[in-house]
Amino acid sequence: MEFFERPDDAGDHVLIVHLDTGRADEQLANQEFIDLVRSTGADIVAEMGGVLRRPDAKHLIGSGKAAEIAEQVEIEQPDLVIFDHTLSPSQERNLERILQCRVLDRTGLILDIFSRRAQSAEGQLQVELAQLKHLSTRLVRGWTHLERQKGGIGLRGPGETQLETDRRLIGARITRIEQRLQKVVSRRELGKEARRLAEMPVVALVGYTNAGKSTLFNRLTEAKVLVQDQLFATLDPTLRRLALPQGIQVIVADTVGFISDLPHDLVAAFRSTLDETRSADLLLHVVDASNRAYGEQISEVQKVLTQIGADQVPQLLLMNKIDQLADEADRQTLSHFSDQQSIMLSAHTGEGKEELLTIIAQHFLRKRPLRKVKLKPEESCVRAKIYKNGSVLEEKIDSDGIIKLRFQMTDRHYNSLRKQHADIFDAE
């Protein structure tokens, strides 16, 4: 049997393989794959396609297609062949032996992109955890020159010993990372508890990658989160406070973008980060309305939300990038796209921002109880506190100077106010 020795250093000249599996959006899926590869900075030297109706257990593809790819590899001499499909460890090894070239699947590609994007300590730990779990099933790939060593009494070869050592080291590293992430989760829970006690609602931006979430986040909060026209430009979650109409204060969270066929290991590794989405009070689902596949992208996002248990969180659909639509007819089509409440806006130009802020404020106002109070002229300090911490719906002053207020206020602020001025509120 011929063995392939994996190089120590992999270059950036790649040959990519996307096989038609019969999806309705196959062309768009292929373009997304190309964008993923290019976002790593790789130079695509050749693209190969084909039809995949029945995956082959040994190579994923048939022997004829494998030979065809091998011929192209011989001509182009790429450093790497990337498949837009999930490959089992044995399929990767078998393909490498046939192609005599390093092989990477879709999961490995996305893991590589995430490792480049993660900036925070938590994000880097989460990516490393996913990489190690992915690598642990593929250790033998790097040691094919030792696979010929057989086990048995007196025959335990260095290859088996090395693999066992690697597995043990990786297992120990995974345990340490999980312990460190658990501490991060504990700190995050403390932060959530503080926000809960302060009755500070959380609004999380979710959506397909490159839908414009970070641009909208910057537009709403005047933050300076990195914005680039590429997949997974930002990975680490960012939180900022946002003042809404009628005195409403919320926390806005910008989260990692989703993508079709998001690797399971990544969803599992980023569960603590995605928990910001699951525990949010409102989701703003940002959609790239200029993308012809926005319907399929919405479905993919909903799948991930269901997977992480966030599908029951109230959601507002934001049809973004309307400044890139060709004509008014396209906008009319969008307005009738979904049964759920949706808003058309442009995070780039700011169109629709005020309507969005108003609707978010109304959403949280509906959750605040309606209160009433009568104040004497000399009790204007209480009136000021109500305006500061609540939302005044109506104010009337009668001929005696008595101020009548109808307002909405959270239980925490109302109970605090009532405790400070029991003589006024107990008399009501």
Side-chain angles (χ1 to χ4, degrees):
M1 181 182 293
E2 185 178 8
F3 288 87
F4 166 67
E5 299 294 341
R6 304 178 77 245
D8 294 331
D9 298 314
D12 58 0
H13 298 290
V14 302
L15 182 151
I16 62 175
V17 180
H18 176 89
L19 303 173
D20 187 342
T21 57
R23 292 171 46 174
D25 61 338
E26 202 67 55
Q27 184 176 355
L28 293 169
N30 185 36
Q31 183 58 51
E32 179 178 271
F33 172 51
I34 294 173
D35 292 340
L36 278 171
V37 175
R38 285 177 176 162
S39 67
T40 67
D43 175 25
I44 300 175
V45 297
E47 301 176 26
M48 299 199 67
V51 177
L52 181 64
R53 291 292 178 256
R54 183 178 301 173
D56 178 74
K58 191 174 183 180
H59 302 104
L60 178 72
I61 54 179
S63 57
K65 175 57 68 174
E68 182 183 339
I69 296 175
E71 291 178 6
Q72 195 67 27
V73 168
E74 183 67 25
I75 296 171
E76 301 292 347
Q77 294 293 306
D79 302 300
L80 177 67
V81 175
I82 305 178
F83 281 75
D84 187 23
H85 308 274
T86 300
L87 299 172
S88 69
S90 62
Q91 286 173 338
E92 278 195 20
R93 291 196 299 271
N94 294 334
L95 285 169
E96 286 186 341
R97 287 166 179 161
I98 292 174
L99 304 180
Q100 288 295 291
C101 180
R102 183 166 172 254
V103 171
L104 191 69
D105 70 350
R106 181 183 177 86
T107 300
L109 173 64
I110 295 178
L111 282 170
D112 180 83
I113 296 171
F114 271 47
S115 69
R116 296 166 185 259
R117 302 285 188 266
Q119 298 296 322
S120 70
E122 179 187 1
Q124 291 170 355
L125 284 173
Q126 289 171 327
V127 172
E128 185 180 354
L129 177 62
Q131 287 177 317
L132 288 173
K133 288 184 174 180
H134 184 66
L135 176 63
S136 64
T137 64
R138 289 161 161 78
L139 278 176
V140 71
R141 292 167 59 242
W143 300 94
T144 52
H145 62 294
L146 300 176
E147 284 186 60
R148 286 161 266 186
Q149 303 289 342
K150 302 299 182 182
I153 298 175
L155 295 175
R156 185 174 295 274
E160 184 176 2
T161 302
Q162 181 66 61
L163 289 174
E164 289 177 345
T165 301
D166 285 350
R167 289 194 180 102
R168 177 167 46 80
L169 291 174
I170 286 179
R173 178 62 179 165
I174 287 175
T175 299
R176 289 196 298 271
I177 291 176
E178 289 177 336
Q179 291 172 345
R180 291 176 64 182
L181 283 174
Q182 187 56 47
K183 294 179 180 179
V184 174
V185 172
S186 298
R187 289 196 297 269
R188 190 190 300 279
E189 290 300 323
L190 291 175
K192 289 179 184 176
E193 180 64 15
R195 293 197 295 267
R196 186 188 67 79
L197 292 175
E199 295 183 321
M200 185 73 72
V202 175
V203 178
L205 297 175
V206 299
Y208 212 77
T209 183
N210 210 29
K213 296 186 304 302
S214 294
T215 302
L216 179 61
F217 182 82
N218 290 342
R219 173 68 64 178
L220 294 177
T221 65
E222 298 183 358
K224 295 182 180 179
V225 174
L226 173 67
V227 175
Q228 290 184 356
D229 185 18
Q230 63 180 23
L231 305 184
F232 301 119
T234 54
L235 184 60
D236 299 302
T238 309
L239 285 76
R240 293 287 189 277
R241 182 174 297 200
L242 174 63
L244 297 171
Q246 302 190 57
I248 304 293
Q249 295 276 338
V250 299
I251 296 294
V252 181
D254 183 21
T255 62
V256 62
F258 301 151
I259 196 170
S260 63
D261 302 322
L262 190 66
H264 176 76
D265 284 347
L266 277 180
V267 175
F270 278 81
R271 188 167 296 278
S272 59
T273 298
L274 295 173
D275 190 50
E276 290 288 351
T277 301
R278 185 170 59 249
S279 61
D281 300 282
L282 177 66
L283 299 181
L284 300 184
H285 183 168
V286 184
V287 180
D288 180 359
S290 67
N291 191 312
R292 291 178 298 159
Y294 65 79
E296 290 82 359
Q297 292 182 352
I298 290 174
S299 298
E300 291 296 335
V301 171
Q302 295 295 352
K303 288 179 184 177
V304 178
L305 291 177
T306 300
Q307 190 175 356
I308 65 174
D311 52 318
Q312 299 303 314
V313 180
Q315 187 178 137
L316 183 61
L317 200 65
L318 309 184
M319 308 305 288
N320 188 30
K321 302 187 182 182
I322 59 172
D323 56 302
Q324 298 182 21
L325 298 182
D327 50 43
E328 187 63 30
D330 291 334
R331 295 195 178 196
Q332 291 298 323
T333 300
L334 287 178
S335 64
H336 299 293
F337 172 74
S338 176
D339 293 333
Q340 68 187 96
Q341 187 177 20
S342 60
I343 298 175
M344 292 188 293
L345 57 80
S346 169
H348 178 67
T349 66
E351 181 181 353
K353 173 187 172 182
E354 298 306 319
E355 178 188 1
L356 172 60
L357 294 177
T358 299
I359 290 177
I360 297 174
Q362 290 173 347
H363 172 82
F364 290 111
L365 277 174
R366 288 194 292 269
K367 297 178 178 294
R368 296 188 174 188
L370 181 64
R371 326 275 188 178
K372 296 180 181 180
V373 71
K374 294 180 181 179
L375 302 174
K376 299 175 183 178
E378 61 268 25
E379 297 169 336
S380 58
C381 64
V382 179
R383 173 182 177 275
K385 292 178 181 178
I386 292 174
Y387 267 92
K388 179 181 179 181
N389 298 312
S391 300
V392 177
L393 304 179
E394 183 181 24
E395 179 178 15
K396 293 182 179 179
I397 303 178
D398 62 18
S399 57
D400 296 326
I402 300 298
I403 304 171
K404 299 178 180 179
L405 292 177
R406 289 178 64 249
F407 62 97
Q408 290 175 294
M409 183 178 286
T410 64
D411 290 337
R412 185 181 74 88
H413 283 119
Y414 182 71
N415 292 335
S416 175
L417 189 64
R418 187 168 183 170
K419 184 177 181 180
Q420 296 174 36
H421 305 280
D423 55 325
I424 296 175
F425 289 93
D426 288 348
E428 288 296 317

